[in-house]
Every structure is written in structure tokens, then in C-alpha cells.
Amino acid sequence: FFFFLMIRRPPRSTLDRSSAASDVYKRQIYYCTLIKFTWNYPKSQRKSTVQYRNHRKELYLHKLKLSSFEPLDKANERRKCPKCDRSKKLYCPYCYVSLVDTSLIPQLTLPLHVSVLQHPKEKVERSSIIPAKVLAPSSLDIYRMASLPAIHLDPNDTLFLYPTETAKAIKDVDRDLLKNAKHLLMIDSTWAQVQTFLKLPEVKKLTAVKISAAETTFWRYQQVDSTNLATVEALYFFFKEYDEAMNGSEYDGKYDNLLYFYTYNYNIIQERYINEKK
């Protein structure tokens, strides 16, 4: 008897399989489930191009108030990072430097200072949070280490964005704590690596918060659940809900540009995927 194993190649327009676990917030709701992707679907379950286009129109990305993508469209050639000399196109993920004129792209100031703990084994090329550092350089810091850096973690003014069992929805957080909050802590790592940070005594003392369920636009469909978010999506939805909780009014789009690079890449990848299907 002969046994043949056939491994199907993912579509060229997608990232490779190992990148699927790079953002721990993809597990926010059903974080113990196995994520499976479009190319593993039975043909009967796959979306047609028409269905997919109609689905895209309903996604939150198409309702964002974003700056023009024209500066990114004009950046046709790769450039060398002025700090590390690596050749990249839009920004250097190692130095957090924009390779597009910063006067032409959005620059944000966030109401809370964000500290992101990134595991040293996390591949920076696949991290969705790095563009947020490029867009909000004075409001966001990324610490690439497995232990806790010397950063401000006062339980009285620091929130921890992570769906622990005791995490509170942002709208349910004590009003005084929200008003006094100055810092937000996040984790950027695989699901297996996140335990390194959760065990730290300083992190355990913080008030954990979680965002409401939202549908991801990560560029591969998930067979089980669509509320698993990329890290930068989690950051965006946090500030959206934080703004609503603080002001008691409907969110006006002031932090939409956190997803400026993310949305641009999403559009390119999905259009390429659709064109390959034609």
C-alpha cells in the first residue's frame, strides 16, 4: 500500500501560515480555538468573488475616516532606512521609521501612553502593531524583551488590555480609574509566548480591560470565529470604546488613522486575491 500526503500551498497573496498566531489579540474571544483559513475550506464553503465583494462593503474598515493613501501609492520604490540601512518600502519595522515623508501621512497623539511588550521571538516583519508606532511615535513605545522593562506600571493609572477571566469591558471600568488613566499596557506575541508576561507580579496588579466583540479584517478568513483581532485592531477598538466611555457620545473617528497602514495593506492584499481568482 502507498500513502500520499498532499499539502496545499496558501494563495500567494496571503502571508504564510506561521504569521497567523503573531497577534495574541486574535484569540480575544475564542482564544483556545484552532484557526483555519480559506485554503482549507471545502469548495462548498468558500465565498465567491461576488459574495466576498459584498461582504467587504460591510466591514468596519470601509467606514473609517482615513487620510489619503496617495502618498503611499506614490512610494513605488524601496528605500533604505536611514538608521539600519535595510531596504524597505513604506516604513522600517526594525527602527519604526517612516520611509514616506511624515508631513504627508497622519501623525497621531493618543490620550493614553501605550506600552507594548513584544516577545523577542516575535517576528517584527509580521507584527501589526509596529505601524502604529510610526503613526503615533510620541504616544506608543514597543519593548522587545521577555522580561518587564523599567516602565511605569502604577495600578492607579495603568490599564492592561488583555482578555483575562476577570477583565472588564471598558464601559464597565470604574469611572474614576478611566479618568485617572494615563497608560495602557499591551502584549504583542504568540499565544504560547504570552504566558511569559502574564506571570509577572507587576502585570497581575493591573486592571485588565477587554474590548467588545468586533469582526476582524485580518486578511484570511477564519473557519471558527471572526472576532479574533490583530493587535493593531485591538488598539483601535480600545481607543474607540475609551473615547465613547469618556465622552458619553458616539465616536467621531479621531483615532481611525491608527489603521492607516493596516487598511492600505488590507486593500492591496484583497484586491490581489480577487484578481487572481478572475
Side-chain angles (χ1 to χ4, degrees), residues 108-115 132-133 136-141 184 239:
L108 292 86
T109 300
L110 304 175
L112 304 182
H113 190 87
V114 181
S115 296
K133 169 64 176 174
S138 63
S139 297
L140 190 148
D141 290 313
L184 177 69
F239 279 115

Side-chain angles (χ1 to χ4, degrees), residues 115 117 148-160 183-185 200 202-203 205-206:
S115 296
L117 302 182
L148 195 66
I151 59 175
H152 178 98
L153 286 179
D154 185 344
N156 295 315
D157 64 12
T158 303
L159 300 174
F160 177 37
H183 303 270
L184 177 69
L185 182 68
L200 297 171
E202 296 88 345
V203 172
K205 295 177 182 178
L206 302 177

Side-chain angles (χ1 to χ4, degrees), residues 36-92:
K36 298 180 181 179
F37 300 101
T38 316
W39 55 83
N40 287 329
Y41 280 23
K43 287 186 177 180
S44 61
Q45 296 180 22
R46 295 177 188 170
K47 291 181 181 289
S48 68
T49 301
V50 174
Q51 288 175 317
Y52 181 67
R53 286 187 184 277
N54 290 336
H55 175 72
R56 285 185 63 194
K57 294 178 182 178
E58 301 172 1
L59 298 177
Y60 76 87
L61 284 186
H62 300 280
K63 301 174 184 178
L64 298 178
K65 299 175 182 178
L66 298 172
S67 298
S68 171
F69 289 140
E70 185 177 358
L72 305 186
D73 289 333
K74 291 182 176 179
N76 295 321
E77 298 180 357
R78 296 171 72 89
R79 298 172 175 81
K80 286 190 176 182
C81 172
K83 289 188 176 182
C84 69
D85 214 33
R86 290 184 175 91
S87 178
K88 301 295 176 184
K89 190 172 183 181
L90 301 179
Y91 58 85
C92 176

Side-chain angles (χ1 to χ4, degrees), residues 47-251:
K47 291 181 181 289
S48 68
T49 301
V50 174
Q51 288 175 317
Y52 181 67
R53 286 187 184 277
N54 290 336
H55 175 72
R56 285 185 63 194
K57 294 178 182 178
E58 301 172 1
L59 298 177
Y60 76 87
L61 284 186
H62 300 280
K63 301 174 184 178
L64 298 178
K65 299 175 182 178
L66 298 172
S67 298
S68 171
F69 289 140
E70 185 177 358
L72 305 186
D73 289 333
K74 291 182 176 179
N76 295 321
E77 298 180 357
R78 296 171 72 89
R79 298 172 175 81
K80 286 190 176 182
C81 172
K83 289 188 176 182
C84 69
D85 214 33
R86 290 184 175 91
S87 178
K88 301 295 176 184
K89 190 172 183 181
L90 301 179
Y91 58 85
C92 176
Y94 297 91
C95 304
Y96 318 136
V97 172
S98 175
L99 301 181
V100 179
D101 187 345
T102 54
S103 67
L104 302 177
I105 63 174
Q107 295 287 280
L108 292 86
T109 300
L110 304 175
L112 304 182
H113 190 87
V114 181
S115 296
V116 180
L117 302 182
Q118 189 177 70
H119 198 279
K121 292 185 179 180
E122 178 69 8
K123 295 185 178 181
V124 296
E125 299 275 2
R126 298 170 181 165
S127 173
S128 70
I129 198 63
I130 287 177
K133 169 64 176 174
V134 177
L135 295 167
S138 63
S139 297
L140 190 148
D141 290 313
I142 299 175
Y143 299 92
R144 189 170 173 79
M145 54 191 69
S147 59
L148 195 66
I151 59 175
H152 178 98
L153 286 179
D154 185 344
N156 295 315
D157 64 12
T158 303
L159 300 174
F160 177 37
L161 182 56
Y162 189 82
T164 64
E165 292 182 358
T166 59
K168 298 179 180 180
I170 296 167
K171 62 181 178 64
D172 296 328
V173 175
D174 181 79
R175 180 72 177 180
D176 288 335
L177 178 57
L178 273 185
K179 290 175 63 176
N180 295 329
K182 298 178 181 178
H183 303 270
L184 177 69
L185 182 68
M186 297 185 70
I187 295 175
D188 189 42
S189 73
T190 64
W191 182 246
Q193 295 163 352
V194 74
Q195 300 302 320
T196 302
F197 301 110
L198 294 182
K199 294 176 181 178
L200 297 171
E202 296 88 345
V203 172
K204 291 181 178 180
K205 295 177 182 178
L206 302 177
T207 298
V209 298
K210 60 184 177 181
I211 59 178
S212 303
E215 184 177 358
T216 185
T217 54
F218 182 63
W219 30 80
R220 282 176 294 187
Y221 281 105
Q222 302 175 27
Q223 192 171 10
V224 179
D225 183 65
S226 62
T227 55
N228 299 318
L229 304 179
T231 304
V232 72
E233 287 182 302
L235 180 65
Y236 161 73
F237 280 111
F238 168 84
F239 279 115
K240 179 177 182 291
E241 294 183 21
Y242 172 84
D243 184 75
E244 292 174 336
M246 290 296 293
N247 298 321
S249 58
E250 187 175 354
Y251 171 70

